[in-house]
Amino acid sequence: MHVITATAELAKFCQHAAQFDFVTVDTEFLRETTYWPKLCLVQAATTEQAVLIDPLAKGIDLSPLFELMANAAVTKVFHAARQDVEIFVKLSGDVPVNLFDTQIAASVCGYGDSVSYDNLVRSVVGVQIDKSSRFTDWSARPLSEKQLTYALADVTHLRDIYVTLRAKIDEMDRASWVADENATLSSIDTYIVKPEDAWRRLKMKINRPRDLAALKALAAWREQRAQDNDQPRGRILKDDAIYELAVQRPLQAEKFDKMRVVPRGFGRSAAASEIIKVLKEVEDLPKDSLPTLPARVHGPSPKGPIGDLIRVLLKAVSEREGVAARIIATSDDIDALVLDDNADVSALKGWRRSIFGDRALAIKHGRIGLAATDEGIIEVPISQS
C-alpha cells in the first residue's frame, strides 16, 4: 500500500482534493508520554482517491496539507475531530476551515451520545472494522500492511457516513443544530490552553479565597511546566495533589514528606522548590487581591421535586426528538438551571434551549405541567389566575 513521503506528491494530492466538495481526514498520533500529540500518520480521501501521508518522512513539508485545511470551499470531514484538530492547530497555528464532525452529526440524528466510528460504520455502511491495530506504535517504521489497511478504512468509510448524515440533517432540518455544535469545535480557543486558565478544568470545591488563589497559581505552574517540558500534566502532579497543596500550602521542603499526594522525597526536588516559591507569592497577596469565590446561588434543591419534573421532561423531549437525553442536557445542567435561570449551561443555549431549556424553566416557574397520556408524557399549560 502506497504512502506519500515527499512534498511534491503531497502537493499533487492536495491540488486534486481541492477540486471536491469534501475531503475526509483522520490522524494517528501518540501522546501517552507527552503534552503535545506527536503526529505519526495522516489519512485523507476524496470520492476518487484515498491516501496515507507520512509526516515523519525525512524532508516532507506539510504546508500543502495545511493549505487544503484552510480552503473554505472544501468541507473537512472528521469523526470525533477534537484531537485531530488540536494537532493541526499545533502544527499550523490555525483551525481547519469548514469542519464537519460525523460524531456530532450522528448525535443530533439519533445515533446516540458520542457514537464510536466503528459503531457508526456498522450502522450506516454495514461493515465490521478490525480495530486490533488501533493501539499499535504508529511512530515505528515501517508500518505494517495491517496498520495501513486499518488507517485507510478510517477515511474511506467516512465518505459514505458523511453523505448519509448530511442527507439526514437536511431531511430533519437540523443544520442549525450542527452549526451550534461546531461553534466550539471551530474556535481556536478550544485548543489553546493558557496556563492562567488551567485551573478551570479542575472540578474541586474550594471554600477560602487564598486556597483558590493557590489553586489557580499551582495549576498555572503545572500547565506551563507541562508545556515547556512536553510532559503530561499527571506526570508532573496529579489533580488531587494540586488541590491538597493549594489547601495545605507547605512552605518548607520537609513539609512535603508529611503529604501522601506527592512521592517520598519530593520536597528535595526542583519542582518542590518552584512550588514553594509559588505558594510564598500566594501567601504574600493582600486580602483585597485575592480572587472572589463563586457566589452561591440559593433556590430550590436541584434534587427536589422540581428537578425530578425537569428530568421527566428531558426523557419526554428525548423520545420525541429521537436524540439521546444526555446530548440535550446532563444531570449537572438540570441542577444548574434549577438553581439559576441564567445558568451557563448548554441546555440553555441554541437548539437545546428551543426544544428543552425554555420548557424546563416554564416547569420551574409553574407555567406548564406534565401529564401522562397513552401517547406518552405531554406538556400542559397551567392557569396563572
Side-chain angles (χ1 to χ4, degrees):
M1 190 173 297
H2 182 65
V3 179
I4 292 177
T5 58
T7 306
E9 190 175 6
L10 174 59
K12 183 178 180 181
F13 167 75
C14 291
Q15 289 168 3
H16 157 83
Q19 308 307 309
F20 291 81
D21 291 335
F22 72 91
V23 57
T24 56
V25 187
D26 190 35
T27 66
E28 305 299 338
F29 57 89
L30 299 177
R31 75 177 313 168
E32 286 82 4
T33 61
T34 61
Y35 181 93
W36 308 107
K38 179 183 179 181
L39 181 61
C40 299
L41 192 69
V42 180
Q43 307 96 280
T46 67
T47 53
E48 293 183 358
Q49 185 180 2
V51 300
L52 300 169
I53 303 159
D54 186 358
L56 302 182
K58 186 176 180 180
I60 194 168
D61 181 355
L62 296 180
S63 296
L65 181 61
F66 300 149
E67 291 174 10
L68 177 62
M69 293 297 104
N71 187 339
V74 181
T75 300
K76 270 66 70 175
V77 182
F78 293 83
H79 181 82
R82 188 158 179 159
Q83 291 194 80
D84 301 304
V85 173
E86 181 186 8
I87 291 171
F88 285 107
V89 171
K90 174 62 177 171
L91 295 178
S92 72
D94 293 307
V95 178
V97 178
N98 195 0
L99 289 169
F100 186 97
D101 188 329
T102 55
Q103 188 176 72
I104 289 174
S107 71
V108 303
C109 289
Y111 286 91
D113 179 25
S114 300
V115 61
S116 67
Y117 179 68
D118 49 322
N119 284 339
L120 199 54
V121 170
R122 186 164 55 249
S123 297
V124 175
V125 187
V127 173
Q128 180 69 50
I129 294 178
D130 178 5
K131 303 291 285 185
S132 60
S133 296
R134 182 178 182 183
F135 295 112
T136 54
D137 184 357
W138 292 98
S139 66
R141 295 294 185 271
L143 294 170
S144 69
E145 285 295 314
K146 187 175 182 181
Q147 284 178 298
L148 297 176
T149 299
Y150 160 83
L152 204 60
D154 278 349
V155 288
T156 52
H157 297 308
L158 196 55
R159 297 177 297 199
D160 295 328
I161 290 171
Y162 169 70
V163 171
T164 299
L165 291 178
R166 196 93 204 196
K168 280 184 176 290
I169 289 166
D170 291 342
E171 179 186 340
M172 300 171 79
D173 193 24
R174 291 183 176 176
S176 63
W177 294 24
V178 176
D180 281 351
E181 300 301 286
N182 275 341
T184 299
L185 188 67
S186 299
S187 171
I188 197 166
D189 291 337
T190 300
Y191 310 98
I192 297 177
V193 179
K194 298 177 181 177
E196 61 268 26
D197 293 332
W199 67 278
R200 298 183 185 279
R201 61 176 295 276
L202 300 173
K203 306 299 182 184
M204 296 174 175
K205 187 176 181 180
I206 293 290
N207 296 316
R208 297 179 297 185
R210 202 169 298 274
D211 291 353
L212 179 56
L215 184 77
K216 289 183 174 185
L218 288 169
W221 167 82
R222 180 179 66 169
E223 199 72 23
Q224 191 64 64
R225 207 172 206 266
Q227 292 179 3
D228 291 346
N229 297 337
D230 196 17
Q231 287 183 292
R233 299 179 189 94
R235 290 283 183 96
I236 296 169
L237 276 179
K238 302 291 187 186
D239 287 354
D240 59 346
I242 292 289
Y243 174 78
E244 196 64 26
L245 287 167
V247 173
Q248 299 296 332
R249 297 197 292 283
L251 299 180
Q252 294 84 33
E254 58 270 18
K255 293 289 184 66
F256 287 92
D257 293 333
K258 298 179 181 180
M259 303 182 70
R260 299 197 312 182
V261 292
V262 296
R264 184 175 296 276
F266 182 82
R268 297 185 295 276
S269 68
S273 297
E274 294 175 16
I275 289 171
I276 289 172
K277 181 180 178 182
V278 168
L279 292 177
K280 283 182 176 178
E281 291 173 353
V282 171
E283 291 296 336
D284 290 340
L285 288 173
K287 283 188 176 181
D288 58 4
S289 296
L290 295 175
T292 303
L293 294 174
R296 294 187 177 181
V297 180
H298 299 285
S301 169
K303 304 305 180 185
I306 292 177
D308 291 342
L309 282 172
I310 292 175
R311 285 174 171 83
V312 173
L313 170 71
L314 176 61
K315 188 175 188 300
V317 171
S318 168
E319 292 175 352
R320 182 168 67 237
E321 300 292 341
V323 178
R326 181 173 170 76
I327 294 170
I328 300 170
T330 66
S331 182
D332 287 345
D333 286 350
I334 293 174
D335 289 351
L337 68 85
V338 169
L339 290 171
D340 182 2
D341 287 4
N342 299 306
D344 184 18
V345 294
S346 297
L348 292 178
K349 298 175 183 176
W351 63 271
R352 291 177 175 85
R353 179 164 193 142
S354 66
I355 68 168
F356 170 74
D358 284 335
R359 292 177 170 87
L361 293 176
I363 284 178
K364 174 182 173 180
H365 293 291
R367 293 191 296 271
I368 63 172
L370 299 175
T373 71
D374 291 341
E375 288 74 34
I377 301 297
I378 63 170
E379 301 145 34
V380 292
I382 296 177
S383 173
Q384 300 298 308
S385 59

